[in-house]
Amino acid sequence: MKAKNTISQMRRGILEFCIISLLADHEVYTAELIDRLKAANLLVTDGTLYPLLSRLQKSDILQYRWEESESGPPRKYYSLTDEGREVLAELDLSWQEINGSVEQIRRGNKSE
Amino acid sequence: MKAKNTISQMRRGILEFCIISLLADHEVYTAELIDRLKAANLLVTDGTLYPLLSRLQKSDILQYRWEESESGPPRKYYSLTDEGREVLAELDLSWQEINGSVEQIRRGNKSE
DNA sequence: GCATGCTACCTTGTAACGCAAGGTAGCATG
DNA sequence: CATGCTACCTTGCGTTACAAGGTAGCATGC
């Protein structure tokens, strides 16, 4: 399956977008986030996620608060900042544009 | 514009897919390819493209032939191999799946 | 109250990749 | 034959995903 590499690149590219989208309405902690991404067919490990979340937090897109768990160590619940919401809006737009680009290219093939 | 980085990541992810798509029906050489990508709002430099094309060629997805130019040095015209066409079909599918994932995530936000 | 296990956090090392910058060489033009 | 343009390609850098490994809180069983 030669396309594998390319496919994972495509997935990767939208990972950040999906994470920001998922955080838009719900606080979540890392394990939950992984589950939700998995549900949308986007596999990630926590080793990928922690640095990414921490990067987004340093950029003021995400914030977190500690919450104690009923069964285990405390969890970091992440949510979007106001700035994060603005970023999400930009990303939504860009995503549509990119979609348009791909559409255009794929259509081009067929007609010509 | 905090989203910039994320946006370029998204673009990057689909770059290979777009290139393969663009080559599906037309032989093109690098400068043409860049123009066509630019027309679809995907900016790339040739320093990005050459290694990428060469990688795809080594994976038997692309092939090339030399053609002399009427005005300047000879050009490498790239086209898809049969295997490249199979890969393109896979990529088409994956792209639709990924689109579905993103749709699902974005829809999820709004309803919940 | 100590050992074991689970959960959640985080870090480190590696490999891939895009991109900017720089380099080589064919070919045309004055 | 010198200058410039076009086309090819390489190098070095920074970023990133991912696998693997590490720390520590908390619960459970003895």
Side-chain angles (χ1 to χ4, degrees), chain A residues 24-84:
Chain A
D25 277 330
H26 285 294
E27 286 190 320
V28 289
Y29 75 105
T30 318
E32 258 177 70
L33 192 52
I34 291 176
D35 284 346
R36 281 171 160 256
L37 289 170
K38 199 183 297 172
N41 268 316
L42 291 161
L43 295 176
V44 219
T45 66
D46 67 342
T48 299
L49 235 43
Y50 283 110
L52 201 162
L53 290 172
S54 146
R55 211 187 328 137
L56 291 176
Q57 183 240 319
K58 269 174 209 141
S59 310
D60 288 323
I61 292 173
L62 303 185
Q63 57 196 351
Y64 67 84
R65 63 180 182 81
W66 285 101
E67 182 170 314
E68 291 182 11
S69 162
E70 293 164 357
S71 61
R75 300 166 175 173
K76 258 186 174 175
Y77 277 85
Y78 282 94
S79 58
L80 288 192
T81 60
D82 288 342
E83 204 174 330

Side-chain angles (χ1 to χ4, degrees), chain A residues 1-7 9-14 16-26 36-37 39-42 55-56 59-61 83 87-88 90-92 94-99 101-106 108-112, chain B residues 1-7 9-14 16-26 36-37 39-42 55-56 59-61 83 87-88 90-92 94-99 101-106 108-112:
Chain A
M1 150 79 127
K2 285 268 170 67
K4 209 170 176 185
N5 190 33
T6 306
I7 293 170
Q9 255 181 283
M10 294 199 287
R11 286 231 176 78
R12 224 178 281 172
I14 59 162
E16 225 172 276
F17 175 42
C18 287
I19 288 170
I20 294 177
S21 289
L22 279 174
L23 287 174
D25 277 330
H26 285 294
R36 281 171 160 256
L37 289 170
N41 268 316
L42 291 161
R55 211 187 328 137
L56 291 176
S59 310
D60 288 323
I61 292 173
E83 204 174 330
V87 168
L88 178 57
E90 288 179 42
L91 292 180
D92 259 341
S94 299
W95 172 247
Q96 286 173 348
E97 280 174 22
I98 288 173
N99 241 310
S101 297
V102 174
E103 249 324 291
Q104 182 187 331
I105 285 172
R106 291 181 60 209
N109 291 340
K110 281 162 191 167
S111 66
E112 287 174 345
Chain B
M1 151 79 130
K2 286 270 171 63
K4 211 170 173 184
N5 188 35
T6 306
I7 292 171
Q9 257 181 282
M10 293 198 288
R11 286 231 176 78
R12 224 177 283 171
I14 60 161
E16 226 172 275
F17 174 43
C18 287
I19 288 170
I20 295 177
S21 288
L22 279 175
L23 287 174
D25 277 331
H26 285 294
R36 281 171 160 256
L37 289 169
N41 268 316
L42 290 161
R55 212 190 325 138
L56 291 176
S59 309
D60 289 321
I61 292 173
E83 204 174 332
V87 169
L88 177 56
E90 287 178 42
L91 292 180
D92 259 342
S94 299
W95 172 247
Q96 286 174 349
E97 280 174 21
I98 287 173
N99 239 312
S101 297
V102 174
E103 250 323 292
Q104 182 186 331
I105 285 171
R106 291 182 60 211
N109 291 341
K110 282 161 191 167
S111 66
E112 283 173 350

